[in-house]
Amino acid sequence: MLVLGLETSCDETGVALYDSERGLLADALFSQIDLHRVYGGVVPELASRDHVKRMLPLIRQVLDEAGKVKTDIDAIAYTAGPGLVGALLVGASCAQALAFAWGIPALGVHHMEGHLLAPMLEEQPPRFPFVALLVSGGHTQLVRVDGIGRYELLGESVDDAAGEAFDKTAKLMGLSYPGGPEIARLALQGTPGRFVFPRPMTDRPGLDFSFSGLKTFTLNTWQQCQAAGDNGEQTRCDIALAFQQAVVETLVIKCKRALKQTGLNSLVIAGGVSANQSLRLALEKMLGELKGQVFYARPRFCTDNGAMIAYAGCQRLLAGQSDGPAIAVQARWPMDRLPSCEVVG
């Protein structure tokens, strides 16, 4: 089965072609970072308009790169949520219109399920069951995964997601958007031990997260340094390092608890923050001590992309799932409400 995948949940337009027999054939991505940087964050209306502008040219590009034509496509998968409603509607409308015109089925895919399954695109994919850490700008969740659609939520953030905390902290310190890569870049030059930030909610049982207080702690530290006239580049680097270390160590502690609680020794990390090298190294070290294994997608498939939607959609389409012609999206969509299906390709 050849599936066209469309991703438009936020500020990146992703298109991909996935073949159930041959794997990923082609993918293309357009990021709106430059469009939104001047505003310091994503402007939903601008994001929606840009998806309209980019979608069809990217579809043509992917078809050309794969050496395919529209009549080769067997089905279309698109992101139906969660995400920005206007942006989601662009992808859903395009997918349903093309599916109707071409006489093929279409299926709305859960955005976070796409992220969770992105490591399946690698040469050595994880095997079920495993614990997944979904960590992005909009979500921080620990999930037990026994199969596609067989999800048990173990813990989640009660306020800011980890990626959101990265971006907001960077903005408070006057860094450019998106803030996550800026914090990581500065942290490379930071002085270890100069600042030590709290590891929120690690001193109590449970697997939930909270990063809002850490963001405030970082802001207070930065303002105190400014008041003392210590607001140079090295201080920014030192604070960035302390903040990143606090987030990473908090995530590692909770992942270790989740593995112990479930009795599993395989961990998948997915979502935009999973591209953070400090987080990857820390989790690899922790899993090495536990004689387990950590899996993640290559960096370009950690952020939003069409390949993960095409793959996730393909699995469900092969299992016989599809949607009717109605255009329906969900800004909020609990992943544990998804139906299960068997992996067949």
Side-chain angles (χ1 to χ4, degrees):
M1 175 179 281
L2 181 62
V3 178
L4 175 68
L6 308 180
E7 156 61 22
T8 62
S9 65
C10 190
D11 61 340
E12 288 166 318
T13 312
V15 178
L17 275 174
Y18 181 84
D19 189 303
S20 58
E21 300 295 329
R22 300 171 54 198
L24 184 65
L25 302 185
D27 71 284
L29 183 72
F30 184 85
S31 174
Q32 301 174 7
I33 286 178
D34 291 339
L35 174 65
H36 299 287
R37 180 175 284 123
V38 65
Y39 303 101
V42 176
V43 181
E45 178 62 23
L46 295 181
S48 302
R49 293 181 181 183
D50 203 66
H51 286 310
V52 173
K53 179 180 178 181
R54 308 293 175 182
M55 181 58 69
L56 291 181
L58 286 176
I59 292 175
R60 295 190 188 101
Q61 177 184 331
V62 166
L63 285 171
D64 289 343
E65 290 180 0
K68 299 292 184 179
V69 295
K70 61 185 182 182
T71 53
D72 294 324
I73 299 174
D74 297 306
I76 302 178
Y78 62 94
T79 304
L84 302 176
V85 170
L88 291 168
L89 284 171
V90 175
S93 300
C94 182
Q96 291 289 10
L98 292 177
F100 179 80
W102 296 344
I104 58 177
L107 177 68
V109 173
H110 193 289
H111 179 72
M112 295 310 294
E113 180 172 76
H115 275 304
L116 187 152
L117 298 177
M120 298 295 186
L121 295 165
E122 303 302 321
E123 290 186 6
Q124 294 184 324
R127 293 184 178 181
F128 303 117
F130 54 77
V131 171
L133 171 66
L134 302 177
V135 57
S136 66
H139 299 80
T140 300
Q141 298 177 328
L142 278 166
V143 181
R144 178 186 172 119
V145 181
D146 290 296
I148 295 179
R150 298 170 61 192
Y151 309 130
E152 178 189 354
L153 180 63
L154 303 174
E156 62 184 339
S157 179
V158 299
D159 42 55
D160 290 352
E164 182 182 9
F166 266 101
D167 287 341
K168 287 182 176 179
T169 297
K171 187 173 183 178
L172 292 172
M173 293 175 61
L175 303 176
S176 64
Y177 173 85
E182 286 296 298
I183 292 284
R185 179 182 63 82
L186 291 179
L188 293 173
Q189 306 300 321
T191 304
R194 181 183 174 189
F195 299 104
V196 178
F197 289 180
R199 277 55 173 163
M201 295 184 71
T202 58
D203 58 349
R204 66 187 76 174
L207 295 173
D208 285 337
F209 302 90
S210 173
F211 295 106
S212 180
L214 179 59
K215 176 187 64 183
T216 303
F217 189 95
T218 306
L219 174 62
N220 291 338
T221 301
W222 172 239
Q223 290 177 336
Q224 290 168 7
C225 290
Q226 286 182 307
D230 183 12
N231 59 353
E233 186 68 8
Q234 186 58 52
T235 296
R236 286 179 189 266
C237 294
D238 296 344
I239 291 176
L241 175 61
F243 173 81
Q244 179 172 267
Q245 287 177 330
V247 173
V248 167
E249 188 171 337
T250 298
L251 293 172
V252 170
I253 290 171
K254 297 290 180 143
C255 285
K256 188 173 183 179
R257 284 185 189 175
L259 291 168
K260 182 178 180 180
Q261 177 177 310
T262 59
L264 301 175
N265 65 352
S266 291
L267 177 72
V268 164
I269 54 170
V273 181
S274 69
N276 184 284
Q277 291 301 308
S278 293
L279 176 60
R280 290 190 177 197
L281 291 173
L283 288 173
E284 287 173 356
K285 179 180 178 181
M286 184 265 288
L287 265 296
E289 294 171 351
L290 297 178
K291 301 193 183 329
Q293 194 169 3
V294 60
F295 299 87
Y296 40 75
R298 70 199 82 167
R300 69 190 181 101
F301 292 152
C302 290
T303 55
D304 296 349
N305 63 88
M308 68 183 192
I309 301 303
Y311 176 83
C314 184
Q315 305 311 309
R316 292 188 171 274
L317 286 157
L318 287 170
Q321 298 179 23
S322 65
D323 294 333
I327 298 172
V329 299
Q330 300 184 59
R332 298 182 182 275
W333 188 4
M335 197 169 65
D336 55 7
R337 295 182 186 174
L338 294 174
S340 62
C341 77
E342 296 298 322
V343 178
V344 294

